[in-house]
Amino acid sequence: MSDTLVKVRDLKIGATVYPPGEKPHDIEIVHGVSFDLAAGKVLGLIGESGAGKSTIGLAAMAYGRGGVRITGGEVWVNGRDILKSGLGDVRKLRGGEVTYVSQSAAASFNPAKKIMEQVTEAAIVQGKFGRKEAEDRARELFAKLGLPDPDNIGERYPHQVSGGQLQRCMTALALCPEPDLVVFDEPTTALDVTTQIDVLKAIKEAIKDTGVAALYITHDLAVVAQVSDDIMVLRMGDTVEYGSVDQIINNPQEDYTKALVSVRSIEHEEKAPTAEPVLSVKNITARYKGTKFDVLHDVSVDLYPGQTLAVVGESGSGKSTLARVITGLLPPREGEISFAGRKLSPDLDGRSLEDLRELQMIYQMADVAMNPRQTVGTIIGRPLEFYFGMRGAEKRKRILELLEEIELGPEFLDRYPAELSGGQKQRVCIARSLAAKPKLIICDEVTSALDPLVADGILKLLLDLQKIEDVAYLFITHDLATVKAISDNIAVMYQGKVQRYGGKTEVLTPPFDDYTDLLLSSVPEMKLGWLEEVIAHRKMESAGN
Amino acid sequence: MGPALKLVVQRVALGLLLLLACSVLIFAGTMILPGDVAQSILGQSATPEALANLREELGVNDPPVQRYFEWLFNALQGDLGTALTNGRSITESIGSRLGNTLFLAFWAAVISVPLAIFLGLLAVRYKDRWPDKLISAVTLASISIPEFLIGYLLMYLVAVKLRWFPSVSMINDTMSLGEKLSAIAIPVAVLTLVVLAHMMRMTRAAILNVMQSAYIETAELKGLNMFQVIARHAFPNAIAPIVNVVMLNLAYLVVGVVVIEVVFTYPGMGQYLVDHVSKRDVPVVQACGLIFAAVYIGLNLIADVVSILSNPRLRHPK
């Protein structure tokens, strides 16, 4: 076992929690996890939020985030148990033998310092290299990771490079001190799909070239399948299944793993356009106040009653701006919007109460879209009072009906948002928008912050409600799997323009334009060797480069 | 022109505009003050004719707008007028006194600013442990006690009982620097105690706020020790709020030392102002007000400019 770099035995991790209305107490969040990692190999840790995967990754550096403490077990790195080492030894390990790549490079780089200084800092502090050598090595890594102008990019500040570039700089930061192990914590999750591919490829090649071992943490099984040798599936702090990547993907044993591996279960037949669209957006051009660039150019789309139009695009494509124009928050420079057969005022102030009621919105972050000091009953009841003047027993009856529609029981009436899970919060937001009996609901990335299985439940609910309430959805998302699951019509947006627009089948059937092809082919697929295939067939560069 | 330079120019222009507005307020404010300078010069027994003559002589009867512009125009050229009470040039009288006030403020700042920042860093390093609590308690106590009381207490202990430093802080041009410093030791100590708490607490709060950032975790995971993490990664991002509160306190050291100067009979601006307010000497009050406003606005302007320049997004646009 001389080539075993990391040996983790019965690792237990705990934290102190402060639940509202209760005394603080300790809970265990990882219950005895064991694995081995040989030098130069990659182990994927996969699971939904709360599975303990990041916590385990950080334990490999003897680090606990916030109030998290390692309470038991052994973590052997390079032949010594780092949980028994003193703080001085642990500091030598961190940034020297083991380094870390976080999910958000934008937040993990110090905004006040140049990239080069931060990339080389660990190597210099740990005494691995002198400044000159470290900088040479950093430039070499910048080039290896495919960053533009590798000789000078280090002289820039973090805000001066794009998100995808910064994520690669973070990888360079982790590789610069020639570590034995790198912990990658969701390194591509915050990126657009087309950018994710480039970063993924850069990381994979860098791991191969430098011979470093890696713990690769993610919730996306299709991504981890591209880079790992072994995979460990975690759930609520327990190991569900641990095996080679081939076995987990092609022959999963546990039901939970099978659920993760299986593709989305939602089937939705595309509906044909009916006579009159409920929403008609015509030739909209818009820009933000005080800027000189249009973020939307001549955008026209139609949405029919009781149907779903998916607006899909990457960050910066203008899809959320379109939602702001439709809701009246950003009056357009040109073009007009018809809604339910009447012309909508471009400005929010000019809209009637009826306009407001019939056009509702659901947001990405359900927890900040609700007042934390109001109960679920108050939150759902507010539109009933405001639009219909309901009071007392009548209001209560309607709230309970709405709760039933979102598959939550009457016991939720008096709960506060903080007592709900992420999926339940989003359900309450859906009920609040339905309470107004709208004709159209704008759904802005409503499943992006949720775990895949929970997101699936929300999408199913939305489809069922559409049948009952005959409501139309304008569904804004960057996730193509979601689009395939629920839409009737699709508008692909790219740099403020509608790149491709039509029925679902038509849009998703070749021949494609170059951008739609890039976007569709960039969605990770659950098969080995997919990454290499895609890279070989690309026709254009992603916008994030 | 870069965004940083543009913002700095805007801020300076705004500062000048603000100073102009202040000059109007000061002038208008002293106009509507009750009391009559002629009366206070000549005393209760003066005849109405003598009062009228004196008012004419002093120019108190001219229209206020005309007097304001004359006053402003002269002040811009460095002529703050003559004191009504003794007929001496205000510019000259203020010159040496402003120097004395700045001398006191300078030494108080030289001691208090580094001390406050050091104590703030120390409090962060030992957050929620006894050094943090001790620093917080002592600085809070010292800011809560009125400064004249601290002044008299220190005077009693250090000057009267221990006889280390003089209790009266009279200084003049013939004294050497060492003698001067010895004379102002107690007022400097009092001022330091008064301004320490704000700056120390803001340093602590600003750095603790930055310590929540993800890049602090990155720094810790690079194996840096606590001091390196704070000094290299936290402090550069906490400069703007710290500089702001430091400048506010420096302004206080110049503008707010009236009480201390009276307690220690120190020949500075504050005492000069108090003397002449009681004598209804309007030109002197106006001149002092204008100088205090200029100092206050100027120091806050510096704070704004430093904040702008410490933001890399403004300094190095995309």
Side-chain angles (χ1 to χ4, degrees):
Chain A
M1 292 288 280
S2 61
D3 65 340
T4 302
L5 175 71
V6 184
K7 190 170 80 174
V8 173
R9 288 293 172 269
D10 198 28
L11 177 65
K12 291 192 169 103
I13 302 173
T16 309
V17 289
Y18 303 87
E22 280 174 59
K23 279 193 174 166
H25 57 268
D26 290 348
I27 53 162
E28 195 172 78
I29 49 181
V30 173
H31 322 284
V33 166
S34 305
F35 60 84
D36 290 295
L37 180 58
K41 293 288 181 186
V42 181
L43 170 65
L45 295 178
I46 178 149
E48 303 190 306
S49 49
K53 50 196 192 304
S54 292
T55 313
I56 295 171
L58 287 168
M61 308 177 80
Y63 187 83
R65 198 175 265 163
V68 170
R69 292 180 309 276
I70 298 166
T71 49
E74 298 164 15
V75 177
W76 294 78
V77 177
N78 275 334
R80 65 180 192 286
D81 185 354
I82 59 169
L83 301 185
K84 296 198 173 63
S85 306
L87 191 58
D89 286 342
V90 167
R91 280 198 186 119
K92 284 227 157 53
L93 171 101
R94 292 177 188 163
E97 288 164 61
V98 188
T99 56
Y100 182 72
V101 178
S102 75
Q103 172 170 358
S104 169
S108 297
F109 269 94
N110 186 337
K113 288 174 174 280
K114 288 179 181 173
I115 290 171
M116 178 59 91
E117 203 181 326
Q118 303 189 53
V119 168
T120 55
E121 184 175 20
I124 296 168
V125 168
Q126 298 293 348
K128 290 240 178 177
F129 298 111
R131 180 169 301 277
K132 174 88 181 49
E133 285 171 285
E135 287 182 358
D136 287 344
R137 179 166 165 77
R139 278 187 278 272
E140 217 173 276
L141 285 166
F142 291 150
K144 194 177 281 174
L145 289 161
L147 283 161
D149 195 12
D151 289 339
N152 300 311
I153 195 167
E155 293 311 304
R156 299 206 204 163
Y157 284 84
H159 70 271
Q160 293 175 308
V161 303
S162 74
Q165 289 168 355
L166 204 57
Q167 202 67 44
R168 275 178 273 181
C169 290
M170 183 101 206
T171 307
L173 184 154
L175 291 172
C176 190
E178 291 190 331
D180 300 316
L181 172 69
V182 182
V183 179
F184 290 96
D185 192 353
E186 304 262 14
T188 63
T189 306
L191 304 174
D192 281 320
V193 276
T194 57
T195 317
Q196 165 169 291
I197 290 204
D198 294 308
V199 175
L200 211 53
K201 170 171 160 272
I203 288 177
K204 186 172 183 177
E205 282 171 4
I207 290 174
K208 211 170 88 195
D209 291 356
T210 54
V212 67
L215 276 178
Y216 198 99
I217 297 159
T218 176
H219 69 276
D220 191 341
L221 195 52
V223 165
V224 83
Q226 308 309 318
V227 293
S228 305
D229 298 299
D230 290 331
I231 290 179
M232 173 179 265
V233 182
L234 293 156
R235 188 182 195 191
M236 323 264 292
D238 279 312
T239 308
V240 175
E241 198 166 352
Y242 177 31
S244 73
V245 61
D246 184 47
Q247 182 252 308
I248 297 281
I249 299 294
N250 296 324
N251 187 21
Q253 301 297 312
E254 299 292 323
D255 288 343
Y256 181 70
T257 317
K258 283 176 191 161
L260 285 179
V261 171
S262 72
V263 270
R264 282 252 156 87
S265 53
I266 295 173
E267 288 292 325
H268 172 66
E269 282 292 311
E270 176 188 339
K271 292 192 278 272
T274 50
E276 279 301 306
V278 62
L279 175 80
S280 184
V281 173
K282 283 207 172 56
N283 310 103
I284 291 288
T285 298
R287 69 171 58 162
Y288 285 100
K289 226 175 159 180
T291 60
K292 293 192 181 69
F293 306 99
D294 289 330
V295 277
L296 289 178
H297 309 270
D298 199 19
V299 171
S300 302
V301 287
D302 288 324
L303 172 55
Y304 296 91
Q307 300 196 0
T308 303
L309 168 67
V311 178
V312 59
E314 300 183 280
S315 44
S317 64
K319 55 191 194 303
S320 290
T321 307
L322 182 61
R324 292 179 69 84
V325 170
I326 295 171
T327 52
L329 291 170
L330 179 70
R333 296 204 314 132
E334 281 164 37
E336 61 175 56
I337 302 165
S338 313
F339 178 65
R342 57 187 186 266
K343 214 179 139 230
L344 271 187
S345 154
D347 199 344
L348 193 59
D349 294 338
R351 295 195 180 177
S352 67
L353 194 64
E354 201 62 6
D355 291 337
L356 300 181
R357 179 182 69 76
E358 292 188 332
L359 205 165
Q360 293 289 314
M361 195 151 176
I362 314 173
Y363 306 87
Q364 175 173 2
M365 308 298 277
D367 39 354
V368 294
M370 289 187 282
N371 186 334
R373 297 198 181 267
Q374 289 183 345
T375 62
V376 168
T378 314
I379 290 169
I380 300 178
R382 176 66 188 147
L384 297 176
E385 274 170 43
F386 184 71
Y387 293 118
F388 305 111
M390 285 191 195
R391 292 277 184 278
E394 187 196 10
K395 186 174 93 176
R396 189 181 156 84
K397 186 167 155 273
R398 181 72 187 128
I399 296 172
L400 290 175
E401 279 171 23
L402 285 162
L403 276 177
E404 204 182 308
E405 281 190 15
I406 55 167
E407 295 157 11
L408 298 180
E411 70 272 18
F412 282 87
L413 207 58
D414 296 317
R415 295 209 188 153
Y416 287 92
E419 298 169 82
L420 307 178
S421 72
Q424 287 167 345
K425 281 179 199 163
Q426 198 56 284
R427 280 166 193 261
V428 172
C429 288
I430 292 172
R432 176 174 61 180
S433 62
L434 282 179
K437 286 205 161 291
K439 290 203 166 84
L440 166 66
I441 299 179
I442 297 177
C443 306
D444 192 356
E445 302 270 13
V446 290
T447 56
S448 305
L450 302 172
D451 285 319
L453 296 178
V454 179
D456 231 36
I458 294 286
L459 293 179
K460 274 192 193 120
L461 176 72
L462 284 171
L463 282 178
D464 292 345
L465 291 172
Q466 187 168 53
K467 286 195 196 102
I468 302 168
E469 306 270 343
D470 201 32
V471 59
Y473 296 135
L474 182 82
F475 209 96
I476 294 168
T477 181
H478 69 276
D479 180 8
L480 283 149
T482 306
V483 172
K484 284 177 193 166
I486 70 155
S487 64
D488 299 299
N489 286 291
I490 298 176
V492 178
M493 292 198 63
Y494 179 56
Q495 296 182 348
K497 295 192 185 81
V498 175
Q499 183 80 15
R500 195 174 166 91
Y501 171 60
K504 172 163 75 172
T505 326
E506 183 195 333
V507 168
L508 297 179
T509 310
F512 298 123
D513 57 283
D514 285 354
Y515 178 69
T516 308
D517 184 47
L518 174 77
L519 193 65
L520 291 176
S521 67
S522 298
V523 180
E525 285 173 28
M526 202 81 70
K527 65 179 189 194
L528 308 185
W530 163 82
L531 181 63
E532 286 72 14
E533 273 174 42
V534 177
I535 299 282
H537 288 102
R538 285 177 109 179
K539 287 185 196 140
M540 68 185 275
E541 284 286 306
S542 70
N545 272 337
Chain B
M1 188 153 60
L5 187 62
K6 193 174 156 194
L7 270 172
V8 168
V9 170
Q10 272 177 358
R11 228 28 86 86
V12 171
L14 253 169
L16 292 175
L17 201 68
L18 195 60
L19 190 56
L20 195 69
C22 280
S23 74
V24 173
L25 271 180
I26 290 165
F27 195 83
T30 47
M31 284 290 94
I32 59 173
L33 279 181
D36 180 358
V37 63
Q39 187 89 64
S40 61
I41 293 174
L42 297 178
Q44 292 294 330
S45 55
T47 62
E49 291 78 20
L51 286 173
N53 283 341
L54 186 60
R55 287 198 194 108
E56 186 65 35
E57 201 179 310
L58 295 171
V60 192
N61 292 335
D62 292 342
V65 176
Q66 182 195 334
R67 286 167 58 204
Y68 169 71
F69 280 107
E70 277 172 14
W71 173 68
L72 186 69
F73 189 68
N74 288 332
L76 286 178
Q77 292 174 320
D79 175 12
L80 293 168
T82 48
L84 298 178
T85 41
N86 56 13
R88 279 163 60 185
S89 157
I90 300 175
T91 311
E92 269 172 39
S93 312
I94 282 184
S96 66
R97 284 169 174 272
L98 183 62
N100 286 345
T101 290
L102 291 179
F103 182 72
L104 184 63
F106 172 79
W107 286 104
V110 161
I111 291 170
S112 64
V113 174
L115 186 63
I117 290 174
F118 173 74
L119 288 177
L121 293 175
L122 207 64
V124 170
R125 172 69 184 82
Y126 296 101
K127 182 184 168 240
D128 290 337
R129 301 190 0 220
W130 71 263
D132 178 26
K133 288 178 180 159
L134 183 74
I135 291 169
S136 275
V138 170
T139 53
L140 259 189
S142 75
I143 200 177
S144 308
I145 304 170
E147 56 205 89
F148 66 86
L149 188 64
I150 303 181
Y152 285 127
L153 274 176
L154 282 183
M155 209 189 277
Y156 176 72
L157 288 174
V158 181
V160 180
K161 285 283 162 191
L162 298 169
R163 297 185 178 278
W164 287 352
F165 297 108
S167 64
V168 173
S169 307
M170 296 290 279
I171 60 168
N172 56 54
D173 294 343
T174 58
M175 293 163 85
S176 72
L177 182 64
E179 286 169 330
K180 281 185 181 174
L181 287 181
S182 163
I184 63 166
I186 300 178
V188 163
V190 175
L191 286 173
T192 301
L193 285 174
V194 171
V195 297
L196 204 56
H198 275 146
M199 292 191 282
M200 171 264 152
R201 288 174 76 82
M202 183 50 97
T203 305
R204 180 181 180 275
I207 290 182
L208 280 180
N209 186 26
V210 171
M211 294 296 275
Q212 310 285 328
S213 313
Y215 53 80
I216 297 298
E217 184 180 283
T218 309
E220 282 180 61
L221 290 177
K222 281 175 178 172
L224 270 56
N225 65 39
M226 197 63 179
F227 177 76
Q228 288 169 320
V229 170
I230 294 174
R232 290 190 194 180
H233 292 278
F235 191 66
N237 289 291
I239 283 177
I242 295 174
V243 166
N244 261 301
V245 81
V246 164
M247 287 303 167
L248 270 177
N249 280 285
L250 291 189
Y252 172 81
L253 284 179
V254 177
V255 178
V257 291
V258 178
V259 176
I260 293 297
E261 289 187 1
V262 174
V263 167
F264 291 93
T265 55
Y266 183 78
M269 289 277 286
Q271 224 192 15
Y272 183 64
L273 176 65
V274 170
D275 283 351
H276 289 80
V277 165
S278 59
K279 290 176 190 157
R280 304 267 183 280
D281 195 337
V282 172
V284 174
V285 176
Q286 286 169 340
C288 288
L290 195 63
I291 287 171
F292 283 161
V295 168
Y296 211 88
I297 291 170
L299 285 171
N300 280 292
L301 192 66
I302 293 174
D304 281 355
V305 170
V306 171
S307 298
I308 292 167
L309 293 181
S310 76
N311 183 342
R313 282 169 194 275
L314 294 173
R315 210 169 58 235
H316 305 277
K318 276 196 177 178

